[in-house]
Amino acid sequence: MTATMDTAGSVQREPDPDWVSCGQCRMLVYGKRFARMAKVCPGCGWHSRLTVHDRLDALLDPGSIRPVEPGPAVHDPLGFADLVPYPERLDRARRETGLDDAVRVVSATVGGHPIVVAAMDFRFLGGSLGSAAGEAIVTAAETALATRRPLLVITASGGARMQEGALSLMQMARTSNAMAALGEAGLLTVTLVTDPTFGGVAASFATLSDVIIAEPGARMGFAGRRVIEQTIREELPESFQTAEFLFGHGLIDGVAPRKELPRLLAVLVGAAAKPADGWADGVTDPVLRDPATLSPPPVDEVVRRARVLGRPTTLDHLANWTDGFVELHGDRAGADSPAIVGGLAELNGLPVMVIGHQKGRTTEELVRHDFGMPSPAGYRKAVRLMRLAGRLGVPVVTLIDTPGAHPGPEAERTGQSNAIAECLRVLGGLPVPVVAVITGEGGSGGALALAVADRVLVCENATYSVISSEGCAAILWRDSDTHAVTAAAQALRVEAKSLLSLGVVDGVVPEPPGGAHRDPAAASVFVRDAVIRALRELHGRDGADLVMARRAKFRRFGSAEVSSKIRETVK
């Protein structure tokens, strides 16, 4: 008989034992090949459902899996019977799956890093969330808390278990509280969404993780598609509630094929680990801290160089600095601004959260990234990542290159001012080291939103200003010709030497002769080394002390005593 699995996950039997028919495109695949490909169709990429045992074997390091037994839970609390008594349904599910209930809990390693996993199996009564499944999730969270390990939850569920009534409903709050305790303890939580994940599971622990990754095509939502269509009497698009739909609306961090998941999880878990001693040994500090050592070109040339598209972008820097960057997406509220990128990375052995503006080099890239001008969703994504870094105790590195926040009507309707203000507040109070580098244009509040840092550095040919020189010239000079724009740039003191003299930045990162665009790789090395040395200086300092010093630093700007000293310096 040929095993044929349809898109609903049910198995049918057909002649010929050596072939499997894809549940989506119906392509026939040799059974052993299908197994070697982790049960992913080589034709259309459809991901077949896995048993919990196959799932864990595929994700975790061989030989590392150790079972964790959940505590006792109530069974059949209501004496429930429909067409079949509930105890008979439980007994049948146990016989067919070999599981006690819908969730299996293990401790293991992934990429050599310890982890606790709670994995759901849809075969057990549709992966429904009852008292025993809730107990397993809570046990996994408490084990992670006791052993100081990250928690991975793998979801596959139709929702709450109706046969347990209100007690099933209570599992949503029970598991959510367990996830909250892990967040308060600074432990990383990750959800892997598999098909399907609905109802009480989606509306509780599944979507409370720090990072949410989904397999291609996996569906997740509160109400099912059929229920929604019957309620609103409209036909929904085919992509509705799929992983790709969720990703496009900023609700999950990424969509990853099954074969990539072990590496991705290893990087995530490794990025939350503590660095080894001596992680920055041998790195030379390139930063210039004396304005007298700087001989900038004319200010109009500096402005031009700051805007050259050949300068390294945030993603360029990350590609040069690390092999282990995992980009995280979405504001978890319905959108994901491509003008800000961010995620966990390992910088010279130190886990860091990197958040930066992203422009691009070609017209197509610039349009795709909104010319590096973030919408409120971008700043809300940045806030989410900042808070995650604070909980994990991971330093934050921000890379700033934006003409300013997006000025469109949609940005105003969705709260641009509030989103920027929240960035300023959250960064100012983060109990971890924060290093900001202005790598190109530092435009107004859109730039400052990522620059409330312990150390603020500026690249040699970058600019930082309250407004663009063109905008200033148009408003105050009432002219937009070249002479007025240059006069405005000079008056605003937008270039690195003036910014250092004013005390607005703490140091200047040198660039290759002629600008970063002349040798982007070398320019990136300068920025990397400057960041590493700044982090080394801040590493190990108490979080409360960091916050106090950071707030005191920004408190001084504009005070009469400090301003008079600055005026003497820049004369």
Side-chain angles (χ1 to χ4, degrees), residues 13-35:
R13 296 293 177 186
E14 298 174 359
D16 196 334
D18 295 328
W19 297 87
V20 175
S21 175
C22 171
Q24 182 165 285
C25 70
R26 300 301 175 185
M27 174 182 177
L28 286 176
V29 186
Y30 186 56
K32 291 183 179 179
R33 182 189 181 200
F34 191 56

Side-chain angles (χ1 to χ4, degrees), residues 51 105 222 313 397 454 475-476 523:
T51 70
V105 183
F222 184 57
T313 66
V397 176
D454 303 299
I475 294 170
L476 298 181

Side-chain angles (χ1 to χ4, degrees), residues 189-388:
T189 53
V190 180
T191 293
L192 172 58
V193 178
T194 73
D195 188 62
T197 298
F198 280 100
V201 169
S204 60
F205 64 90
T207 49
L208 291 177
S209 288
D210 300 313
V211 179
I212 303 175
I213 305 296
E215 287 191 334
R219 295 165 295 161
M220 182 171 72
F222 184 57
R225 177 195 184 100
R226 192 180 310 165
V227 171
I228 297 172
E229 288 184 331
Q230 289 173 350
T231 302
I232 67 174
R233 300 187 182 279
E234 289 183 19
E235 186 175 341
L236 297 170
E238 280 298 316
S239 63
F240 186 71
Q241 293 182 319
T242 64
E244 294 73 17
F245 175 91
L246 298 168
F247 179 71
H249 287 80
L251 299 174
I252 63 175
D253 289 286
V255 181
R258 191 168 286 166
K259 284 289 190 181
E260 293 182 13
L261 290 172
R263 181 201 65 82
L264 181 63
L265 288 172
V267 172
L268 281 171
V269 175
K274 302 304 178 187
D277 292 336
W279 60 271
D281 288 347
V283 176
T284 302
D285 188 359
V287 174
L288 306 172
R289 294 180 173 83
D290 182 358
T293 62
L294 296 169
S295 300
V299 69
D300 55 342
E301 176 62 16
V302 174
V303 171
R304 187 194 69 80
R305 291 180 184 180
R307 297 172 177 174
V308 171
L309 296 182
R311 297 179 72 84
T313 66
T314 294
L315 291 177
D316 291 332
H317 285 302
L318 285 164
N320 289 328
W321 296 356
T322 177
D323 293 326
F325 173 63
V326 177
E327 186 176 353
L328 305 178
H329 291 265
D331 65 354
R332 298 280 176 90
D336 180 31
S337 171
I340 285 184
V341 298
L344 287 164
E346 188 176 290
L347 179 58
N348 204 50
L350 177 72
V352 293
M353 180 71 77
V354 180
I355 305 168
H357 297 98
Q358 180 69 19
K359 286 182 178 176
R361 289 205 175 93
T362 66
T363 300
E364 181 183 356
E365 288 176 347
L366 287 166
V367 171
R368 187 166 67 246
H369 291 282
D370 292 335
F371 293 85
M373 297 185 294
S375 68
Y379 292 113
R380 291 182 182 125
K381 172 171 63 175
V383 165
R384 180 170 78 85
L385 301 188
M386 293 169 191
R387 286 178 171 149
L388 174 57

Side-chain angles (χ1 to χ4, degrees), residues 413-447:
R413 278 194 294 268
T414 53
Q416 188 70 287
S417 298
N418 174 270
I420 292 172
E422 191 66 10
C423 270
L424 300 176
R425 177 167 66 176
V426 171
L427 261 187
L430 275 187
V432 295
V434 181
V435 175
V437 185
I438 302 153
T439 61
E441 290 183 279
S444 190

